[in-house]
Amino acid sequence: YASPAEHLTQSLGLGRRPKDGLYTVGEGRALIINEAPKQIAAQADISDAYVEKILGLLDGAGKNSSLVLRRGAYYVTARMDEGNDRPDVLKGCFIDMFDDRLSVIEDPVLVPGSVGLWYDVSRIDRKLPAQIIALSARAEKIEITPRGLKFTSRAPSEMTVAARIYTARPPKSVKVISNGETTELPFEYEPDSMTSYFIYPSDGNPARVRVTF
């Protein structure tokens, strides 16, 4: 092959040197533009034509200043600071994974220049009695019962571990056992998402967390 592109297009069943155009490939489509990337970047008319072709490929989705990618329960968002100044809204109830409080937010606003990682609350498996949604530590030996959740967490020393968990009922207590000492932890219960937020310090040793509900 003279270039990686030749191998790609042949693998798609289009031959080594397909002409410009939109091709059906399996259940998707491939847009072929035989133009050097540097020409697209350097010449305004070629650049404008490239953008129009991409928008056409997106079935007229129109110009948007936000990029939203979803994988499972997670959404990754990026709001460019170019384009219109109108904030975009991510519809639904989400947990802000970049917030140190792991806040639950309804219809979060994507402001220009922002990036985000969100957990879609609607994707929580309500058939389970409990679920760890977010934890700034490694969770091991997870045990779930109809009335409780237990796990061991490992985290570096001199840091605060933050957690947000789902429970089928509001928690009655949250405890952490570290170095033989048991500490009752305060927690914040958010009824709409049925999740709770709590924090505890880490000294680098494994800590056992117990939640009863």
Side-chain angles (χ1 to χ4, degrees), residues 89-176:
V89 177
L90 190 63
K91 292 292 185 179
C93 185
F94 295 88
I95 295 170
D96 186 351
M97 306 294 280
F98 281 172
D99 177 27
D100 57 2
R101 295 187 60 81
L102 299 170
S103 301
V104 179
I105 301 176
E106 186 77 26
D107 296 339
V109 177
L110 310 180
V111 298
S114 67
V115 294
L117 176 62
W118 312 87
Y119 186 94
D120 185 356
V121 170
S122 70
R123 306 279 293 192
I124 294 175
D125 188 351
R126 308 288 177 174
K127 296 178 182 178
L128 297 175
Q131 182 180 347
I132 301 173
I133 303 299
L135 180 71
S136 58
R138 185 173 65 188
E140 302 175 342
K141 301 178 181 178
I142 302 172
E143 301 177 28
I144 300 175
T145 66
R147 292 286 182 174
L149 167 66
K150 300 178 182 179
F151 62 90
T152 298
S153 75
R154 294 179 181 271
S157 60
E158 300 181 1
M159 71 164 284
T160 298
V161 177
R164 184 166 290 279
I165 62 169
Y166 157 78
T167 52
R169 288 170 293 277
K172 295 179 179 178
S173 70
V174 178
K175 298 178 181 180
V176 61

